[in-house]
């Protein structure tokens, strides 16, 4: 694997807050970042040496970008397959690779892949029509969640089908057609509702030489499908954490993965775990690593993509990370007076409701 030395350049597809924090970590290592995204004034552009503003399917711009950088990575999982193909043809090395993206982009393939690793998941079935939905609901039961196979995030592209829907006076057909219409009548999966004890994730990294480093697993609390808070220690038993860690290691190896991955788990009431989904990128539930670990998930990702040895993922502090959503970031003046609060703001101007504007991490040294 080609090593990106200091003064070299990593190209990042996507200009959001994850790209911004990757670029800041790269800067500390003397590595420059070149952002590629369709938006003007993206959060990552403000802290990067260079930005190309173009669409993800603009072959000429992608080829130029691919030739201008020493390695390419991405900060969102919905990078079109075509983008990676164009870059690869132009001679660029893209990490994590095309297989990780293909699996993570399709909830059906992702669940089948998790099962192939021996991991448990929610019960699921492919749904391609209201008739499929009715049949799948009979087998899976309610409550259940209908999710689009592709392009869902932060609880978008999904709808819960509750048991109570039976009492709303709607016929069975009306209820299934309504749910099908709600997710845009697209190829989907129906998932059984997991009655979990809590949610847990594993942030892991794999280098090109096969070396793996995992961070302590945070406990994650969601509200309306959006991450609200991640806390370490999680309070999960050693056996639960080990199960999640083992699955993450298998996933990294099966995908011949290079970079950081975020794997989301349901911790079940009997101590076992089920995979919810994984993101082939740095992950919101790993933001606390910037303040509570010697080497953050962002630096770890840059190290892996740049062909450097992985860094020390050990935690020096307990941590609670809270997202600042929508107008919550307007609390910055109050937070700035709090001695224990490490504030991270993403430089976004438009505080739309639920939009991730920043986060705050409170640490307690061990
Ligand atoms: P997702 O976009 O699939 O990660 O879903 C966002 C959040 O919705 C998850 O973190 C869970 O809190 C909840 N959720 C998703 N799928 C299920 C499920 N099958 N059972 C219970 N809760 C779920």
């Amino acid at each position: 694997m080609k090593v990106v030395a200091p003064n070299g350049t990593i190209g990042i597809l996507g200009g959001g807050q994850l790209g911004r924090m990757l670029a800041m970590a790269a800067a500390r290592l003397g590595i420059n970042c070149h952002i590629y995204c369709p938006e003007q004034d993206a959060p990552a552009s403000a802290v990067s040496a260079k930005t190309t503003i173009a669409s993800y399917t603009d072959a000429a711009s992608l080829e130029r970008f691919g030739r201008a950088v020493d390695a390419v990575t991405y900060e969102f999982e919905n990078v079109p397959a075509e983008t990676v193909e164009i870059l690869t043809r132009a001679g660029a090395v893209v990490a994590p690779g095309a297989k990780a993206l293909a699996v993570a982009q399709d909830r059906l393939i992702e669940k089948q892949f998790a099962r192939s690793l021996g991991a448990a998941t929610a019960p699921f079935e492919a749904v391609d029509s209201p008739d499929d939905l009715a049949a799948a609901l009979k087998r899976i039961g309610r409550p259940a969640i209908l999710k689009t196979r592709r392009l869902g995030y932060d609880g978008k592209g999904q709808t819960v089908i509750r048991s109570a829907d039976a009492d709303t006076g709607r016929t069975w057909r009306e209820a299934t057609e309504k749910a099908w219409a709600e997710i845009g009548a697209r190829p989907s999966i129906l998932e059984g509702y997991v009655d979990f004890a809590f949610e847990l994730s594993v942030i892991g990294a794999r280098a090109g030489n096969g070396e793996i480093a995992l961070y302590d697993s945070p406990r994650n609390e969601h509200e309306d499908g959006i991450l609200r808070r991640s806390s370490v220690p999680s309070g999960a038993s050693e056996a639960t954490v080990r199960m999640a860690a083992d699955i993450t290691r298998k996933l990294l190896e099966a995908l011949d993965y290079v970079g950081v991955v975020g794997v989301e788990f349901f911790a079940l009431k009997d101590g076992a775990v089920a995979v919810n989904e994984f993101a082939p990128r740095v992950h919101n539930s790993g933001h606390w690593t910037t303040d509570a670990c010697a080497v953050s998930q962002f630096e770890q990702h840059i190290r892996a993509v740049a062909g450097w040895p992985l860094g020390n993922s050990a935690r020096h502090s307990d941590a609670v990370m809270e997202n600042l959503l929508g107008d919550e970031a307007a609390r910055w003046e109050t937070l700035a007076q709090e001695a224990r609060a490490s504030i991270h703001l993403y430089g976004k101007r438009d505080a739309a409701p639920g939009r991730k504007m920043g986060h705050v991490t409170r640490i307690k040294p061990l």
Side-chain angles (χ1 to χ4, degrees):
M1 194 173 165
K2 188 174 139 193
V3 172
V4 183
N7 298 314
T9 301
I10 290 181
I12 302 178
L13 299 165
Q17 66 268 17
L18 301 180
R20 180 180 174 101
M21 292 185 273
L22 284 169
M24 292 196 292
R28 251 186 39 177
L29 303 179
I31 293 174
N32 302 312
C33 285
H34 181 159
I35 305 299
Y36 187 107
C37 68
E39 301 92 17
Q40 302 267 359
D41 300 324
S45 299
V47 300
S48 295
K50 208 168 170 193
T51 297
T52 295
I53 299 172
S55 98
Y56 293 116
T57 49
D58 175 343
S61 297
L62 282 169
E63 281 161 18
R64 232 174 293 124
F65 169 73
R67 283 195 296 272
V69 301
D70 301 302
V72 176
T73 188
Y74 43 88
E75 57 108 54
F76 70 115
E77 62 273 40
N78 290 319
V79 173
E82 184 188 345
T83 310
V84 176
E85 276 160 31
I86 296 168
L87 285 167
T88 309
R89 251 187 279 122
V93 177
V94 181
K99 188 171 174 204
L101 266 178
V103 175
Q105 283 177 356
D106 185 322
R107 288 187 190 276
L108 179 63
I109 297 174
E110 185 182 41
K111 288 252 179 339
Q112 289 165 339
F113 172 70
R115 291 267 179 103
S116 77
L117 300 174
T121 67
F124 65 93
E125 282 197 35
V127 166
D128 292 313
S129 68
D131 285 344
D132 283 0
L133 176 57
L137 269 172
K138 288 216 171 77
R139 283 187 289 265
I140 286 178
R142 290 184 292 177
I145 311 183
L146 184 65
K147 300 182 180 178
T148 56
R149 282 174 60 171
R150 304 179 71 86
L151 299 175
Y153 71 100
D154 284 349
K156 295 191 172 69
Q158 42 183 281
T159 183
V160 178
I161 302 170
R162 295 190 171 77
S163 314
D165 284 357
D167 309 323
T168 56
R170 277 190 206 103
T171 64
W172 180 256
R173 172 145 287 278
E174 282 166 352
T176 50
E177 279 180 356
K178 177 173 167 281
W180 178 244
E182 264 169 19
I183 57 137
R186 277 176 294 166
S188 303
I189 67 168
L190 184 73
E191 283 183 30
Y193 211 86
V194 179
D195 185 23
F196 54 78
F198 57 91
E199 290 183 85
L200 188 80
S201 57
V202 179
I203 308 300
R206 186 170 178 274
N209 67 1
E211 179 191 4
I212 286 177
L214 304 183
Y215 289 91
D216 276 353
S217 290
R219 172 188 293 240
N220 303 319
E221 295 161 64
H222 292 83
E223 279 167 22
D224 301 325
I226 303 176
L227 184 68
R228 164 53 53 192
R229 191 176 299 106
S230 290
S231 318
V232 274
S234 66
S237 73
E238 253 178 60
T240 298
V241 169
R242 202 176 324 114
M243 269 185 260
D246 286 348
I247 293 166
T248 304
R249 270 194 210 92
K250 279 192 199 161
L251 178 148
L252 289 168
E253 276 159 10
L255 295 172
D256 196 16
Y257 198 92
V258 174
V260 165
V261 73
V263 189
E264 296 180 30
F265 293 91
F266 298 123
L268 308 177
K269 290 174 179 161
D270 64 0
V273 297
V275 172
N276 175 25
E277 61 178 4
F278 77 92
R281 54 167 170 77
V282 287
H283 196 257
N284 195 170
S285 71
H287 287 4
W288 58 274
T289 61
T290 298
D291 300 300
C293 298
V295 169
S296 73
Q297 64 163 348
F298 303 103
E299 178 176 338
Q300 201 73 292
H301 186 75
I302 294 294
R303 280 172 173 254
V305 171
W308 291 29
L310 296 182
N312 176 8
S313 60
R315 177 164 68 82
H316 56 65
S317 299
D318 290 348
V320 178
M321 184 287 312
E322 273 184 85
N323 274 334
L324 298 171
L325 305 173
D327 57 15
E328 290 165 7
R331 276 175 22 216
W332 66 269
E333 277 180 287
T334 315
L335 291 168
Q337 289 169 29
E338 223 191 278
R340 275 189 334 116
S342 298
I343 305 169
H344 302 255
L345 297 172
Y346 307 150
K348 297 179 183 176
R349 267 185 250 285
D350 177 21
R355 190 172 189 213
K356 290 174 179 169
M357 302 297 290
H359 67 269
V360 55
T361 306
R362 296 178 178 86
I363 63 167
K364 197 165 111 212
L366 295 178

